[in-house]
Amino acid sequence: AVLRRSRATGVAEAFLARHGEDLFVGRHGIVATGFERLNVPPELVRSVFRAPGCRTAQELVRGTRLAFHGTPAENHDSIERMGLVVPGQGNQVRVANGAAYGQGVYVGFSGAMSISYARGAPLLLCALPNPAPSLKDMKTFGVVGDARDVVPLFKVWYDREVAPCDVRSPSSAVRQHRRATWQAKWREAGCRACP
């Protein structure tokens, strides 16, 4: 089945529905304050969300893993047009921060891991197939050797003032407030229905 733009949007929304609230309450090392869906080409989304036999966006999302990519804001437009690329593989992109663990797209499995690479810009919330054939998993981060194994779906803004340890065990009132904030941000992002 071909993943058209409308289906690609549905998959992105399902991915955010699955992981967004965890980001707002700090379970991934950051406290998200907002999202913006990236308008990546459907073929990039299709390359990650490729589970055979899945009929719904929710089924496709179950076979993926969340990751973050930190990069300066000046790179966001080209990433939205072309996706993340492995430096030197048919492109003019240079390695920006070294390649100590090999050539590839470096992603953090915690937002906190990727913040310093973003240099103040929003983080890119990415999806990887699970398992990702080309992923070199280093526990807290990974190196994706094939760009078809990672797709950026959203820009994520985050609270730089809140340390992850401050959000591990919030009171029920705080959790309720964060859930209400999450639902409002969900609607602002243009998503059809709150999770």
Side-chain angles (χ1 to χ4, degrees):
V2 174
L3 190 61
R4 297 178 309 280
R5 182 160 303 281
S6 62
R7 180 99 189 263
T9 299
V11 167
E13 287 183 7
F15 188 79
L16 187 59
R18 181 171 181 174
H19 299 291
E21 186 173 350
D22 285 348
L23 292 166
F24 265 98
V25 298
R27 289 192 190 114
H28 290 286
I30 60 168
V31 176
T33 58
F35 298 92
E36 178 184 326
R37 188 172 50 235
L38 295 173
N39 194 24
V40 296
E43 60 271 13
L44 297 179
V45 177
R46 184 174 43 250
S47 73
V48 169
F49 295 95
R50 57 181 178 248
C54 290
R55 296 177 185 259
T56 68
Q58 289 77 11
E59 288 174 350
L60 285 169
V61 166
R62 277 189 219 116
T64 61
R65 181 177 185 180
L66 172 142
F68 300 88
H69 183 73
T71 189
E74 61 263 19
N75 297 334
H76 287 189
D77 286 342
S78 65
I79 290 171
E80 189 167 1
R81 280 193 317 277
M82 302 182 314
L84 292 162
V85 297
V86 175
Q89 287 188 0
N91 58 60
Q92 301 301 316
V93 176
R94 291 187 184 162
V95 173
N97 296 296
Y101 295 92
Q103 197 79 331
V105 176
Y106 281 66
V107 295
F109 299 125
S110 160
M113 176 62 72
S114 301
I115 287 174
S116 65
Y117 299 102
R119 299 186 183 108
L123 293 175
L124 300 179
L125 179 61
C126 304
L128 284 73
N130 192 17
S134 71
L135 175 67
K136 187 184 298 182
D137 191 337
M138 307 304 289
K139 302 290 183 221
T140 59
F141 70 95
V143 183
V144 182
D146 184 339
R148 294 173 296 185
D149 283 343
V150 60
V151 62
L153 297 173
F154 292 89
K155 290 181 186 179
V156 179
W157 282 264
Y158 49 92
D159 188 338
R160 290 170 182 71
E161 303 299 317
V162 179
C165 61
D166 295 338
V167 296
R168 285 196 185 127
S169 301
S171 69
S172 66
V174 170
R175 282 195 306 275
Q176 191 173 23
H177 172 73
R178 288 186 182 146
R179 178 150 179 81
T181 301
W182 151 236
Q183 290 174 340
K185 294 295 182 181
W186 175 263
R187 288 187 292 275
E188 284 174 25
C191 299
R192 287 187 285 264
C194 287

